[in-house]
Amino acid sequence: MKKAKKAVIEFTQERDWDQFHTPASLSRAISIEASELLQNFLWDDKYDKQKVCDELADVVNFCILLANKLEVDLEEIVLNKLMDNAKKYPVEKAKGISTKYTEL
Ligand SMILES: [Mg+2]
């Protein structure tokens, strides 16, 4: 992830685009790119893997930029949230079912 972070930040700096990147605008960008990802599955579950990967990369790129803007380590916050989710969804209660944690 360090290599990707460095590359995305360099890409942005070279173009002087950081001026447009507020936490709000980056959050909007993540949502828009997530919608573009969903567009690949609009009418059925068939998909073009390359197009899906392109949109997934767009989402992740903006996630990297938002984490950088917030001055947090993306890997660290992902792992922390995963630990929180593990408490909400203990294996013995959640394995093999999709019920929301409030209903477990
Ligand atoms: Mg896109």
Side-chain angles (χ1 to χ4, degrees):
M1 210 57 170
K2 283 180 184 170
K3 196 172 163 185
K5 178 182 174 182
K6 187 175 180 291
V8 171
I9 290 169
E10 277 179 13
F11 178 92
T12 301
Q13 287 174 339
E14 287 167 354
R15 289 157 183 79
D16 194 22
W17 285 351
D18 186 63
Q19 61 182 310
F20 307 115
H21 292 171
T22 64
S25 69
L26 291 168
S27 297
R28 287 190 289 268
I30 291 167
S31 182
I32 289 164
E33 295 300 343
S35 295
E36 290 178 6
L37 175 61
L38 272 176
Q39 195 169 29
N40 285 285
F41 305 97
L42 182 59
W43 300 118
D44 56 44
D45 288 350
K46 286 184 266 174
Y47 59 90
D48 178 319
K49 189 173 181 179
Q50 184 58 54
K51 288 180 180 177
V52 168
C53 288
D54 286 347
E55 298 308 335
L56 177 60
D58 284 343
V59 171
V60 173
N61 286 341
F62 280 120
C63 289
I64 290 170
L65 288 171
L66 180 56
N68 187 61
K69 182 64 66 172
L70 297 173
E71 299 179 339
V72 297
D73 183 295
L74 186 58
E75 186 174 357
E76 186 179 322
I77 64 171
V78 166
L79 293 174
N80 286 341
K81 186 63 169 74
L82 195 57
M83 285 187 344
D84 290 346
N85 289 345
K87 289 176 193 163
K88 287 181 187 172
Y89 295 96
V91 173
E92 61 275 11
K93 287 186 179 176
K95 188 171 186 175
I97 58 173
S98 59
T99 307
K100 190 173 179 180
Y101 71 94
T102 53
E103 307 296 322
L104 287 174

